[in-house]
């Protein structure tokens, strides 16, 4: 378990003090895949780097596995860092070393014997599906393969925590899915705790169980990822989520639309119920469906639907009142005037 207790990080500048992280407190459970989201300058990278003490807290305490590591120095610090692997956006592989040598170098530096090094390198290259690339140089690898090597290198020394700093920002969509699936599989298989920082909410949505949202060095929201995406509490979080849920409505349909434009948000079981058909039958209102989709977050469905209800005003009003009872979130985003 990782626990932040009122952690702050300050940097000295010519113009004074810059507070990058301000009194942050929360816990990350053992074996959890946890996300830290926010835009550039939010403080998320600085906060994550305190976990392996690449950045020391200015104040507060950081507990890992129940031990206060805040003041670690010398051997305790080196031992702690070996238990925390880290991967980056641009892989950080040595171009003049083979895949095998990139991983072996880290292990030898940690004092592993040649036999231990060979065993670990082969084992972890097999885990990331790159055994056949042991003799290849990074320049001959795809971006996804480079990140797989970086993951193997980060974990080969026996790390039980994996820190991921924008791990998929340099990858295409298909490769991103592959890498996230690999991280998820390794977390389950090895029992490791994963902390991912990213400005890409799709990454958080696809792999994390819980998430912290940061803005201006402050922790502004914390919770289950499904709740964060379906019931955000903070305006900034709603803004971030809005970019992910944004639908491009057909311009031609909007120009010809008569009446209201309504957004319906369905959560959980609601996403699989025929409420639009029910409203049509009950109130004689037709619904022009403009855009929508159902997706799954943590195995639970979330549906968003944009509709244009058509009928006499009183019937439309009754239909929307009914939808508010069963759907819970009905927003008129254009009154058609």
């Amino acid at each position: 378990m990782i626990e932040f207790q009122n952690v702050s990080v300050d940097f000295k500048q010519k113009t004074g003090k810059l507070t990058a992280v301000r009194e942050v407190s929360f816990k990350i459970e053992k074996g959890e895949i946890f996300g830290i989201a926010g835009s550039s300058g939010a403080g998320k990278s600085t906060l994550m780097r305190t976990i392996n003490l690449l950045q020391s807290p200015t104040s507060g305490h950081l507990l890992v596995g129940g031990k206060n590591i805040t003041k670690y120095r010398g051997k305790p610090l080196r031992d702690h860092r070996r238990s925390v692997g880290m991967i980056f956006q641009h892989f950080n592989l040595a171009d003049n070393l083979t895949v095998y040598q990139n991983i072996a170098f880290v292990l030898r530096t940690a004092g592993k014997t040649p036999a231990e090094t060979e065993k670990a390198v082969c084992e972890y290259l097999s885990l990331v599906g790159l055994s056949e690339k042991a003799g290849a140089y990074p320049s001959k690898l795809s971006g996804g393969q480079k990140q797989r090597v970086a993951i193997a290198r980060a974990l080969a020394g026996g790390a039980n925590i994996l820190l991921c700093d924008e791990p998929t920002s340099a990858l295409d969509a298909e490769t991103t899915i592959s890498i996230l699936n690999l991280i998820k599989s390794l977390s389950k298989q090895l029992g490791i705790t994963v902390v991912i920082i990213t400005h890409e909410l799709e990454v958080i949505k696809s792999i994390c169980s819980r998430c912290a949202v940061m803005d201006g060095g402050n922790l502004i929201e914390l919770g289950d990822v499904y709740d964060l995406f379906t019931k955000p509490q903070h305006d900034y979080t709603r803004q971030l989520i809005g970019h992910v849920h944004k639908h491009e409505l057909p311009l031609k349909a909007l120009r010809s639309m008569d009446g209201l434009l309504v957004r319906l948000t369905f959560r959980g079981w609601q996403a699989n119920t025929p409420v639009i058909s029910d409203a049509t039958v009950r109130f004689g209102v037709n619904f022009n469906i403009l855009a929508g989709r159902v997706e799954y977050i943590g195995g639970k469905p979330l549906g968003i639907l944009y509709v244009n209800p058509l009928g006499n005003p009183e019937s439309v009003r009754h239909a929307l009142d009914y939808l508010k009872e069963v759907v819970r979130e009905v927003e008129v985003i254009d009154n058609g005037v």
Side-chain angles (χ1 to χ4, degrees):
M1 182 178 68
I2 302 167
E3 182 176 358
F4 299 92
Q5 297 181 344
N6 296 314
V7 169
S8 294
V9 179
D10 299 331
F11 295 105
K12 293 181 180 179
Q13 296 184 322
K14 291 182 180 180
T15 55
K17 181 181 70 174
L18 171 66
T19 300
V21 174
R22 184 177 291 104
E23 296 185 356
V24 168
S25 297
F26 66 90
K27 296 179 182 179
I28 301 172
E29 300 298 332
K30 182 179 179 181
E32 185 174 18
I33 302 180
F34 189 93
I36 303 177
S39 56
S40 298
K44 57 189 187 296
S45 293
T46 300
L47 182 66
M48 188 181 73
R49 286 164 65 88
T50 64
I51 297 174
N52 56 4
L53 291 178
L54 289 178
Q55 178 62 58
S56 297
T58 305
S59 61
H61 300 283
L62 182 59
L63 280 64
V64 177
K67 298 179 180 179
N68 190 338
I69 68 166
T70 313
K71 301 299 182 181
Y72 272 11
R73 300 291 185 272
K75 186 177 185 302
L77 176 58
R78 292 193 296 273
D79 290 343
H80 170 68
R81 284 179 174 166
R82 278 195 284 270
S83 72
V84 183
M86 192 167 186
I87 61 172
F88 305 88
Q89 176 181 357
H90 295 295
F91 323 123
N92 286 17
L93 301 178
D95 291 333
N96 62 328
L97 300 179
T98 65
V99 165
Y100 184 99
Q101 291 167 339
N102 262 279
I103 302 171
F105 175 79
V106 176
L107 292 166
R108 286 197 296 268
T109 302
K112 301 294 183 182
T113 66
E116 290 172 331
T117 296
E118 182 175 3
K119 179 181 178 182
V121 172
C122 293
E123 177 183 349
Y124 280 88
L125 280 180
S126 176
L127 281 174
V128 300
L130 286 181
S131 296
E132 76 285 359
K133 297 293 184 180
Y137 286 89
S139 61
K140 301 299 182 181
L141 304 179
S142 67
Q145 290 172 331
K146 290 177 183 177
Q147 195 61 287
R148 285 173 180 266
V149 175
I151 292 170
R153 182 183 60 184
L155 297 177
N160 51 41
I161 296 173
L162 179 64
L163 307 181
C164 306
D165 188 351
E166 300 281 3
T168 60
S169 293
L171 305 176
D172 60 44
E174 184 177 351
T175 307
T176 290
I177 293 172
S178 174
I179 292 299
L180 293 178
N181 285 340
L182 174 63
I183 291 173
K184 190 173 184 178
S185 173
L186 291 175
S187 175
K188 184 176 181 180
Q189 185 175 350
L190 303 177
I192 59 174
T193 303
V194 179
V195 182
I196 296 179
I197 65 165
T198 181
H199 66 279
E200 298 177 304
L201 271 294
E202 288 288 355
V203 170
I204 298 291
K205 185 171 61 175
S206 65
I207 191 175
C208 299
S209 58
R210 290 192 305 135
C211 177
V213 180
M214 295 191 66
D215 183 36
N218 298 298
L219 174 65
I220 62 170
E221 194 156 352
L222 172 71
D224 179 270
V225 168
Y226 188 85
D227 290 338
L228 223 60
F229 273 82
T230 60
K231 296 179 290 185
Q233 301 299 307
H234 195 280
D235 286 343
Y236 179 73
T237 310
R238 283 192 283 271
Q239 178 184 336
L240 289 178
I241 300 303
H243 294 311
V244 179
H245 285 165
K246 183 178 180 182
H247 290 269
E248 294 297 332
L249 300 179
L251 184 59
K252 184 177 181 181
L254 289 177
R255 285 173 176 169
S256 61
M257 188 184 73
D258 181 23
L260 303 176
L261 173 60
V262 179
R263 177 171 57 213
L264 309 175
T265 301
F266 304 81
R267 299 189 182 95
W269 61 269
Q270 299 169 344
N272 298 317
T273 56
V275 293
I276 296 296
S277 298
D278 289 348
T280 297
V281 172
R282 285 171 180 252
F283 305 102
V285 174
N286 293 316
F287 288 86
N288 182 17
I289 297 176
L290 302 175
R293 67 177 179 180
V294 176
E295 60 183 324
Y296 286 80
I297 304 174
K300 294 184 285 187
L302 169 67
I304 296 177
L305 190 65
Y306 289 84
V307 298
N308 168 215
L310 302 173
N312 72 68
E314 185 176 359
S315 296
V316 169
R317 180 172 60 82
H318 287 310
L320 292 182
D321 287 342
Y322 165 74
L323 289 175
K324 287 176 183 177
E325 292 179 4
V326 296
V327 177
R328 303 298 183 188
E329 188 169 328
V330 178
E331 181 184 0
V332 177
I333 59 178
D334 192 326
N335 61 14
V337 177

